[in-house]
Amino acid sequence: MVEQSNSNNNGAEARPGVLNGYRVLDFGWVLAGALPGMALADMGAEVIKVETRQRLDYMRMGRPIVGDQPDPEQNPMFHNVNRGKLSVTLNIAEPDAVELAKRLIARCDVVIENFSPGVMDRLGLGYEALRQVKPDIVMASISSTGQDGPLRDLRAYAPSIGSLSGLDSTMGYEGGGPLGLKHAFGDICGALHAVFAIGAALLHRNRTGHGQYIDVSMLRATVVTQGVGLMEQALTGRSLQPRGNYDPTMAPYGNYPCAGDDTWVSIAVKSEGEWQSMVRAMGSPAWAADDRFGSQYRRQRHRRELDALISRWTAEHEADVVTELLQSHGVAAAPVLGAEERLFHPHFMARGLYSDTEHPALGAEPVFNLMWNLSKTPSQVRRHAPLLGEHNREVLCGYLGLGEDELAELEERRVVY
Amino acid sequence: MTYSLLTGLRVLEIGSMISAPYCGKLLADAGAKVVKIEPPGVGEDARRYGPWPDDVPHPERAGLYLYLNANKEGITANLETPTGRGILNQLAAKYDVVVHNIPPDEMERVGLDYDAIAADNPALVMASISPWGLSGPWRDYKAYDINLAAAGGICEGLGASDREPLTFGTPEVGYFAGMAAASSIVLALLGRDAYGGQHIDIAEAETMAGLYNGPEALMAVYEWRVTRRTGHHALDFPYPNCILRCRDGHIFVGSPEGRQWRRLLEIMGNPDWSQEQRFRNRTAMNNLYADEVDGYVEAWLADYTKAELLEIALENRIPLAPVRTYEEVRSDPSLDDLFVVIERDDTGPVAYPGPPYRLSETEVSAAKPAPTLGQHNRAILCDELGYSAADLVKLYQTGII
């Protein structure tokens, strides 16, 4: 698919990873729950995804739908966020499946889950139960709004977190209402903080012998990224409102129209030196010498007029041209890139941000790389996302010593399912 | 609030604004000793960003700085001088981790050449956070938050079709780079016995174009969803999936599951419009009739406050979520123990967000306030590195610290 991709980790021999030797049992699903295990797998951990046909990971059946109808093996989103993992199908509504999960946990360092709060306890897989089988287990629960408290049972999706956290309150045009962020900002924040906490908890375990229960909420993980807004409120009493593209220390600061259909370039100028460079890059137009733009203070005060004049200049050039020209003068600029432009961007391609992975159902398909570039052990896509239950035999027979007959019988009873 | 996960770990941070400082904060809040090196005289940029108590600007009271640097110690060193770089080298030889966000083309000049500083400490883990990474054709390009958001895929779908694309309302990209760096650092430390020290390259643009937004970029390949600026609606989701007006502000209204939508309609009294044939398919309803339906739903929402709607959401298990102001976020009782009150002589008590995760098996200690500029010069330079009091005076007089 990504024919020009020049970095193809998959198929190449897996390089050593810092987490070689660590094993993770991963009940995580959809996005926030799947990402931490993906990151740990890219760093070399053996991550065993526990899933079941009884209640498929939504993402296996979600969009985009490749082919005529949804197929659990054909979802590229799923393939992206579950690559590198092994898959074992355990129907943990069945007590025998819970027992098998516990036997696996006894051989694991980390357990990850993002079921609704209380579900793991109800299944007999809560932290206290897991400690019985693995006293130093590190268990991470990721939830929307935390494992307890008044919002615990709120039905919340990614946009809900944007709203509840304050993030959305400043996202919009000046004077207009909040538009809402159309990304899974909270899922990513929750997942990344979970990875950090898991890593730190493993260092702590290695030092002290103690395990850990980690409760990460997407809401909290998003609130902590609202430094400017929260501090403004705390120190001045003001709650920020939408201000369009605005930074209190910069002008110009925005996305400016370029030649072509709906193409834009972002430009940000902070210092006087950067402004002088930008003026030179624009060919020192007469208007730039106007008193209204004579200092950062004045440019801020007259930013609307400034934006209009800059837009006239940018509109005559393509976004790439403006970017190269401004950057060659030491001014921060970058095009507003669409999906395909990111995929084939020369800089991202040179660094291998996306690469092709062979998947048994879909063939070569692009995946994004984690890009945690450790000089000796960089993150790496180590294998394609697993087929449902692809590793039942390897894991259940190999690790737990089940015989073929036993496995067949468990499959028959839909314990392994 | 400070956990004890990383007790004993020693970290040097040369950070400004958000990315490296947030990485340092994650490590500090988890119990690491984090020493921040700032340029003498002026300190780092966040000190001049604000906001300030009662709008009285002062580099020691800048809100973003105070938040992101709580729990750290602070020293000053002019890394443009060999003497200043000497201090950095002496510390790096004894510490476990260095994290910085000095641009790639300035790293060597200020003494952040990994091979050189790891020569005396092969176990050193150093994370370099930069806008575009340490390699590639854009390595030395500049970027501020909006440029990274633009290239990272944040802006293309935010805003109205007839207006400019938008970015985040406040700087956000640095947090993702900080999280990626902090995660990479602790994982590198887990592998330190096997692999020794490492130099970590984290590109801010890639945290957005990759982990944050990568799957979406790949959707272009399958021609599933073309991201467009469609205001407060997004194409190809079942209606409702948007922010609407209510009595005292705005509320997110969602219902990805059919039963959620049916329940919401029930609460609304199963209005006539909802029975219309053209609203059978909710994705069509979203793509073709969203503005019209917004009007119907907002007519109902107008009778309810955000707080009342949150109660309705909890009672009926439907995804409604108030768009909260920062004041409302701060006064949410469910977040009480996220906010940590830290007192400094010059600000009085202020509540800052602490670590966003809770732990079962670790000691918790009180958080320390962010350091004043050079506050720990004596403690670090004299007590740890063995400089004399007379040296300290001379270093100050010559503009090194």
Side-chain angles (χ1 to χ4, degrees), chain A residues 67-132:
Chain A
D68 299 335
Q69 54 190 18
D71 180 309
E73 305 301 357
Q74 293 192 8
N75 187 291
M77 281 285 279
F78 178 89
H79 295 170
N80 261 271
V81 301
N82 290 282
R83 81 293 182 90
K85 302 180 186 178
L86 311 178
S87 167
V88 167
T89 47
L90 290 179
N91 177 11
I92 50 175
E94 296 287 336
D96 286 351
V98 169
E99 282 315 307
L100 289 169
K102 282 176 156 175
R103 287 172 64 189
L104 285 172
I105 287 163
R107 307 169 67 100
C108 284
D109 303 284
V110 176
V111 171
I112 298 169
E113 65 94 12
N114 68 325
F115 296 123
S116 296
V119 168
M120 287 294 268
D121 277 328
R122 211 155 60 230
L123 291 170
L125 290 167
Y127 176 61
E128 289 308 323
L130 301 196
R131 282 178 74 178
Q132 304 300 314

Side-chain angles (χ1 to χ4, degrees), chain A residues 63 212 220 224 351 376, chain B residues 67 198 206 236 337 361:
Chain A
R63 295 169 302 171
Q212 199 73 241
R220 286 174 181 231
V224 297
R351 287 174 55 82
K376 295 173 195 161
Chain B
Y67 164 45
Q198 305 214 42
E206 287 168 353
D236 294 339
D337 64 343
E361 321 279 323

Side-chain angles (χ1 to χ4, degrees), chain A residues 30-363:
Chain A
V30 199
L31 185 58
L35 284 170
M38 179 210 81
L40 298 175
D42 282 5
M43 301 304 282
E46 181 183 301
V47 178
I48 304 168
K49 183 180 178 76
V50 178
E51 51 184 337
T52 175
R53 286 185 168 79
Q54 189 66 33
R55 198 172 175 204
L56 282 174
D57 186 335
Y58 295 134
M59 205 167 259
R60 278 195 180 272
M61 301 300 276
R63 295 169 302 171
I65 293 160
V66 178
D68 299 335
Q69 54 190 18
D71 180 309
E73 305 301 357
Q74 293 192 8
N75 187 291
M77 281 285 279
F78 178 89
H79 295 170
N80 261 271
V81 301
N82 290 282
R83 81 293 182 90
K85 302 180 186 178
L86 311 178
S87 167
V88 167
T89 47
L90 290 179
N91 177 11
I92 50 175
E94 296 287 336
D96 286 351
V98 169
E99 282 315 307
L100 289 169
K102 282 176 156 175
R103 287 172 64 189
L104 285 172
I105 287 163
R107 307 169 67 100
C108 284
D109 303 284
V110 176
V111 171
I112 298 169
E113 65 94 12
N114 68 325
F115 296 123
S116 296
V119 168
M120 287 294 268
D121 277 328
R122 211 155 60 230
L123 291 170
L125 290 167
Y127 176 61
E128 289 308 323
L130 301 196
R131 282 178 74 178
Q132 304 300 314
V133 296
K134 186 71 164 53
D136 65 353
I137 195 76
V138 169
M139 176 179 182
S141 292
I142 301 150
S143 61
S144 295
T145 49
Q147 296 296 319
D148 49 44
L151 295 181
R152 180 184 107 139
D153 295 323
L154 182 69
R155 300 296 294 170
Y157 299 89
S160 316
I161 304 301
S163 290
L164 292 168
S165 63
L167 171 68
D168 283 345
S169 69
T170 59
M171 243 293 314
Y173 295 104
E174 190 166 16
L179 294 176
L181 192 63
K182 295 171 182 69
H183 307 127
F185 190 105
D187 290 66
I188 314 290
C189 288
L192 277 170
H193 282 106
V195 174
F196 169 74
I198 287 167
L202 286 171
L203 285 167
H204 178 259
R205 181 204 71 176
N206 292 353
R207 199 178 73 243
T208 65
H210 295 291
Q212 199 73 241
Y213 178 68
I214 303 164
D215 163 13
V216 185
S217 91
M218 285 155 52
L219 176 58
R220 286 174 181 231
T222 304
V223 168
V224 297
T225 68
Q226 300 304 299
V228 169
L230 289 170
M231 294 316 297
E232 179 89 20
Q233 203 284 323
L235 299 179
T236 72
R238 286 188 296 267
S239 278
L240 294 177
Q241 301 294 314
R243 299 178 293 189
N245 292 322
Y246 174 79
D247 183 285
T249 65
M250 291 188 248
Y253 188 84
N255 292 319
Y256 299 88
C258 294
D261 181 28
D262 200 30
T263 59
W264 303 80
V265 67
S266 63
I267 302 173
V269 169
K270 188 157 186 163
S271 70
E272 190 58 31
E274 287 170 352
W275 171 246
Q276 294 304 334
S277 299
M278 178 162 174
V279 170
R280 277 195 298 280
M282 292 189 294
S284 302
W287 62 260
D290 191 298
D291 266 359
R292 288 173 301 169
F293 311 129
S295 67
Q296 185 62 265
Y297 173 79
R298 290 182 182 183
R299 288 190 290 280
Q300 282 264 336
R301 294 290 296 262
H302 300 286
R303 66 191 184 100
R304 295 263 171 268
E305 297 121 281
L306 181 66
D307 284 348
L309 289 160
I310 290 172
S311 295
R312 266 194 244 162
W313 174 69
T314 54
E316 291 171 13
H317 308 281
E318 289 179 358
D320 284 340
V321 173
V322 176
T323 299
E324 303 293 321
L325 181 66
L326 290 179
Q327 289 285 2
S328 70
H329 283 77
V331 176
V336 173
L337 296 179
E340 223 168 321
E341 293 165 307
R342 298 200 294 282
L343 216 46
F344 297 108
H345 192 275
H347 180 75
F348 293 147
M349 287 181 68
R351 287 174 55 82
L353 176 56
Y354 311 104
S355 61
D356 277 1
T357 292
E358 278 294 325
H359 187 276
L362 288 185

Side-chain angles (χ1 to χ4, degrees), chain B residues 223-237:
Chain B
E223 296 174 353
W224 165 45
R225 192 163 75 201
V226 180
T227 305
R228 291 203 193 89
R229 298 194 306 286
T230 47
H232 68 292
H233 290 119
L235 290 176
D236 294 339
F237 285 93

Side-chain angles (χ1 to χ4, degrees), chain B residues 174-193:
Chain B
Y175 292 98
F176 290 89
M179 290 179 240
S183 299
S184 299
I185 287 167
V186 291
L187 300 184
L189 291 168
L190 281 171
R192 190 161 58 165
D193 287 346

